Amino acid sequence: MAKKRRFQDLGFGTALRGEQDRLILPNGQFNIYRDNAFFERFQSYQWLVDLSWWSFFLVLTAFYLLINTVFALLYLAVGIEQLSTGNPELSHFWQAFFFSVQTLTTVGYGSVSPEGFAANCIAAAGAFVGLLSFALATGLLFARFSKPNLKLRYSKNILIAPYQDGKALMFRIANARQKVLAEAQISLVASWLEENELGQLSRKFSLLPLEREQLRIMPLNWTVVHPLNEDSPIQNLGKSSCSRQKLELIVIFQAHDDSHGIQLRSYHSYSSEEMVWHAQFVPMFHAGRNGKTLLELSKISDFEYVKL
């Protein structure tokens, strides 16, 4: 590969230390693991904010059941006789469990009430824990709803497609949300392994020139094109060399979100296994009803083979 347009290594380093996989995972996360203590590595608030919605509600439900079970066992430990039971058909555990639910949620039907000193202390603690829990859950819900989120879709593959009188690397991105992104900018960085005169492998990086690196607004999809001409450091790539040198194409995307007034950033990468030769993307938008343009996000990865 040509030695043109090399620049800083993006912080990943050039030296190889054992067998290394891709630098950025398909989900946009950096392929890095920090070997430190669990409590230093784990951030509960950020973890709960970043969880998917179904996982978040699953965690809330598990916490709700767990905390009420703990208080039910405490009531049983001090004696069920310290609760005035209003429904003798239920077992002692369920009587204590549902009383804990009523106390933590401040519903207070009045059918069951604490009578002993120990039971009143547990009920007071349960009411305090319930107030804190609802405040924390409300704060987390607000944080999740108000969190700026750049929801981009990337094509599954990067193609070697016809371009003008030659060929080019191409991949597609699209905004999956209704809001229009402004001042969108993109960079494409190639990373590969290269052997020096002593037979030692090191990682090389190069910024790839693009046909277009910025869009004022991004209402539709964006086909990102890197012409494979004399200015390209990977002009003479081939299937075998890309795999042997572990070529990885790193995408850095950023855009302005007008609704929140901030810059949002996204990362992605393509490995040599995700490159498709002699192909081109099929159109993914066309005229729809009522004079509107229909953008079919489901077709973002669709391509067809062609002759170069």
Side-chain angles (χ1 to χ4, degrees):
M1 295 185 183
K3 299 183 179 181
K4 300 179 182 179
R5 297 178 64 88
R6 296 212 180 151
F7 74 126
Q8 64 274 15
D9 59 22
L10 296 180
F12 290 104
T14 59
L16 293 183
R17 296 172 178 85
E19 190 70 20
Q20 289 182 309
D21 204 349
R22 62 196 299 168
L23 302 177
I24 296 180
L25 300 173
N27 61 3
Q29 299 294 320
F30 292 96
N31 192 18
I32 296 172
Y33 175 78
R34 289 174 172 80
D35 185 15
N36 53 4
F38 173 78
F39 293 105
E40 292 179 352
R41 189 170 65 246
F42 181 70
Q43 297 178 342
S44 57
Y45 173 80
Q46 194 63 43
W47 178 70
L48 288 168
V49 169
D50 292 337
L51 275 178
S52 63
W53 278 107
W54 72 268
S55 298
F56 175 72
F57 283 112
L58 183 63
V59 171
L60 285 187
T61 302
F63 175 78
Y64 177 79
L65 296 174
L66 176 62
I67 198 66
N68 282 296
T69 299
V70 169
F71 276 100
L73 294 176
L74 289 176
Y75 287 124
L76 292 178
V78 300
I80 195 64
E81 63 277 1
Q82 293 200 30
L83 296 179
S84 60
T85 57
N87 192 348
E89 296 179 358
L90 296 175
S91 66
H92 290 171
F93 171 79
W94 288 114
Q95 291 177 25
F97 181 88
F98 288 121
F99 174 68
S100 173
V101 170
Q102 297 170 24
T103 304
L104 265 68
T105 58
T106 68
V107 173
Y109 294 118
S111 58
V112 181
S113 61
E115 295 184 342
F117 177 78
N120 274 283
C121 289
I122 297 173
F128 180 71
V129 170
L131 290 173
L132 288 180
S133 300
F134 276 98
L136 289 172
T138 303
L140 285 169
L141 281 171
F142 176 78
R144 291 178 63 88
F145 274 112
S146 61
K147 182 183 70 171
N149 188 14
L150 182 59
K151 192 172 183 180
L152 283 182
R153 290 193 183 180
Y154 292 85
S155 58
K156 185 180 299 183
N157 300 103
I158 187 167
L159 310 183
I160 310 297
Y163 177 74
Q164 295 179 355
D165 295 330
K167 55 186 179 178
L169 278 173
M170 297 185 187
F171 66 94
R172 289 201 294 204
I173 57 176
N175 180 20
R177 299 195 182 279
Q178 287 286 52
K179 61 184 179 182
V180 176
L181 298 174
E183 303 297 339
Q185 300 180 28
I186 197 163
S187 299
L188 184 62
V189 180
S191 166
W192 68 91
L193 303 183
E194 191 172 283
E195 187 175 319
N196 60 18
E197 302 80 18
L198 300 177
Q200 299 173 331
L201 287 176
S202 62
R203 188 178 296 279
K204 304 299 180 182
F205 295 88
S206 181
L207 180 66
L208 302 183
L210 302 177
E211 175 197 50
R212 182 183 293 109
E213 298 179 353
Q214 182 176 1
L215 290 178
R216 283 294 187 182
I217 56 174
M218 187 179 162
L220 298 172
N221 67 287
W222 184 359
T223 301
V224 182
V225 178
H226 165 62
L228 293 171
N229 51 30
E230 63 277 2
D231 294 327
S232 172
I234 55 174
Q235 176 186 8
N236 300 318
L237 61 83
K239 289 184 180 180
S240 58
S241 61
C242 286
S243 179
R244 185 176 62 255
Q245 295 179 268
K246 293 190 175 181
L247 176 69
E248 182 175 354
L249 300 166
I250 300 170
V251 182
I252 304 172
F253 176 89
Q254 65 179 14
H256 186 77
D257 180 8
D258 288 334
S259 59
H260 292 90
I262 60 173
Q263 286 286 115
L264 298 177
R265 191 181 296 265
S266 173
Y267 302 96
H268 192 74
S269 79
Y270 293 97
S271 66
S272 57
E273 288 75 18
E274 294 162 331
M275 299 176 67
V276 178
W277 270 255
H278 312 303
Q280 66 181 10
F281 288 112
V282 300
M284 61 178 294
F285 66 88
H286 53 81
R289 294 177 296 179
N290 302 323
K292 294 185 177 181
T293 299
L294 175 62
L295 179 63
E296 298 184 276
L297 293 174
S298 60
K299 293 185 176 181
I300 191 170
S301 298
D302 292 356
F303 65 86
E304 58 188 9
Y305 289 99
V306 295
K307 291 184 178 180
L308 292 179

